[in-house]
Amino acid sequence: MSQFNANQFALEFDTESPKKIIEQALQQFDNIAISFSGAEDVVLIELACKVIDDKSKLKVFSLDTGRLHPETYRFIDKVRQHYGITIDIMTPEHEALQNFVREKGLFSFFEDGHQECCGVRKVAPLRRKLSTLDAWITGQRKDQSPGTRNNVPVAENDTAFGSEESPLVKFNPLANWSSEQVWEYIRMFDVPYNELHEKGFTSIGCEPCTRAVLPNQHEREGRWWWEESTHKECGLHAGNLNK
């Protein structure tokens, strides 16, 4: 694990299929997990199930912020049942969340930005989970967010959540796919998806911070729509802001 060169891997596998990248990632790391929340992530699970011998060894986790849509909670359980896998649900630390809500209320993000709320509800639970892993797999795509994801490689050293003492590798097998390719795959293989997609939602997060988009709007315009479009990262992929 310590000898794995993420930059070299990214160069060698940049034009390979997502399936090949996931297969190699699972071969290189035993202590690796898929981060699951949206349509792209279910494609990752579908592909992983095709290349892994024993699905019981597949590690998948999801972040429950406590503010998700009812449809999203149903979606998480639908994926669990469809693939017969265990999904590790990560929740906010109770005392930190309680103190935050007591001090700032339930909708402070409309006034002072979403970063603090996301920090408590998403980033801290993610950090807790990633501290137990050597690598993780995400559904990031280059065309997903203007200004923050257009340079996403298929593999990288996660400097936001890892360190020299505890290195963490991050795989982005769908980096070079478009939204159209993701949905072509979903339809072709009957992959489960969040029913909110049928109601005009494309990028789906917490209920207060997500809305449907109009035709020809970019998918991220439905997230934190009151903020500057080039800074629409919740902190889970904070390293993108430095690229």
Side-chain angles (χ1 to χ4, degrees):
M1 190 265 301
S2 60
Q3 297 179 349
F4 182 80
N5 189 321
N7 295 330
Q8 184 63 36
F9 183 96
L11 288 173
E12 292 181 7
F13 286 85
D14 184 61
T15 58
E16 293 286 355
S17 69
K19 183 178 179 180
K20 183 68 173 180
I21 294 168
I22 290 175
E23 182 178 34
Q24 286 295 312
L26 295 176
Q27 288 179 4
Q28 292 285 344
F29 293 89
D30 293 325
N31 191 19
I32 183 173
I34 295 174
S35 172
F36 157 59
S37 64
E40 288 82 5
D41 310 321
V42 192
V43 170
L44 298 177
I45 293 173
E46 173 81 19
L47 291 169
C49 286
K50 293 179 184 298
V51 301
I52 197 169
D53 294 330
D54 183 358
K55 285 196 297 184
S56 68
K57 295 180 180 179
L58 184 63
K59 297 177 182 178
V60 179
F61 71 91
S62 187
L63 303 177
D64 176 10
T65 65
R67 304 295 295 273
L68 303 179
H69 297 77
E71 292 90 342
T72 299
Y73 289 111
R74 291 195 291 269
F75 170 53
I76 292 171
D77 208 54
K78 183 178 181 180
V79 170
R80 179 187 65 81
Q81 294 181 3
H82 181 86
Y83 292 103
I85 59 175
T86 298
I87 299 178
D88 187 10
I89 305 295
M90 304 300 297
T91 58
E93 197 277 322
H94 176 72
E95 185 175 357
L97 179 58
Q98 187 177 55
N99 291 339
F100 171 69
V101 173
R102 181 189 297 117
E103 178 184 351
K104 304 294 288 286
L106 291 168
F107 298 98
S108 62
F109 37 81
F110 288 126
E111 298 177 2
D112 55 18
H114 69 275
Q115 297 297 338
E116 187 175 9
C117 186
C118 286
V120 173
R121 295 182 182 273
K122 300 176 75 171
V123 180
L126 177 66
R127 188 178 299 279
R128 191 169 72 244
K129 178 62 180 180
L130 294 181
S131 69
T132 69
L133 299 174
D134 295 324
W136 61 310
I137 305 174
T138 87
Q140 288 193 104
R141 305 191 328 270
K142 289 179 179 177
D143 71 343
Q144 216 165 26
S145 183
T148 64
R149 299 190 181 182
N150 49 328
N151 292 318
V152 169
V154 299
E156 58 188 312
N157 293 308
D158 191 336
T159 56
F161 293 97
S163 65
E164 289 187 16
E165 297 76 23
S166 300
L168 180 70
V169 175
K170 182 177 181 179
F171 292 94
N172 309 298
L174 302 178
N176 296 315
W177 268 24
S178 65
S179 177
E180 182 179 4
Q181 286 174 293
V182 169
W183 282 96
E184 284 177 354
Y185 190 92
I186 287 173
R187 289 190 291 268
M188 182 180 300
F189 293 99
D190 199 23
V191 174
Y193 59 85
N194 193 322
E195 59 197 89
L196 285 172
H197 289 298
E198 298 176 348
K199 303 175 182 179
F201 291 76
T202 50
S203 178
I204 302 170
C206 291
E207 187 277 333
C209 302
T210 305
R211 66 179 183 181
V213 297
L214 297 172
N216 297 319
Q217 274 190 299
H218 191 276
E219 60 189 84
R220 296 292 278 189
E221 290 189 59
R223 301 287 292 278
W224 309 297
W225 57 90
W226 63 93
E227 295 184 11
E228 173 61 42
S229 63
T230 57
H231 294 89
K232 293 192 176 184
E233 291 288 351
C234 59
L236 303 187
H237 303 294
N240 293 341
L241 300 177
N242 299 321
K243 291 177 183 174

